[in-house]
Amino acid sequence: MAKNVSEAHELWLSSPGKKGQSHKDNTVRTVHLPPYKSFSGWEISSYRDKWDLIEKVLNADQTNASEM
């Protein structure tokens, strides 16, 4: 996700604003929610209801913690 957000931000920075002006860099980053896609074309709808991805990471963290 971080890679996609960074890529979209770089594309936004390099594109002109509404009146043709340059975008100014800042600390704000966005994740576009469906039905919208980011500047890079990436969208998060394929991750809807993918709780198993989170459970897998949490279970791996618990396994690693118990081994210490």
Side-chain angles (χ1 to χ4, degrees):
M1 180 178 222
K3 176 185 165 234
N4 290 301
V5 171
S6 294
E7 183 181 315
H9 183 72
E10 290 300 320
L11 287 170
W12 176 79
L13 277 175
S14 65
S15 67
K18 288 182 183 179
K19 298 178 183 175
Q21 79 283 9
S22 297
H23 287 122
K24 294 181 182 177
D25 198 5
N26 56 56
T27 58
V28 175
R29 303 295 183 266
T30 59
V31 174
H32 293 81
L33 300 176
Y36 304 104
K37 294 182 181 182
S38 73
F39 281 93
S40 63
W42 182 70
E43 46 110 7
I44 65 170
S45 64
S46 62
Y47 296 98
R48 184 179 183 133
D49 294 326
K50 294 286 189 170
W51 297 105
D52 58 306
L53 298 173
I54 295 171
E55 290 170 352
K56 184 191 294 185
V57 172
L58 292 175
N59 290 334
D61 286 348
Q62 288 175 354
T63 302
N64 291 335
S66 66
E67 293 175 357
M68 293 182 163

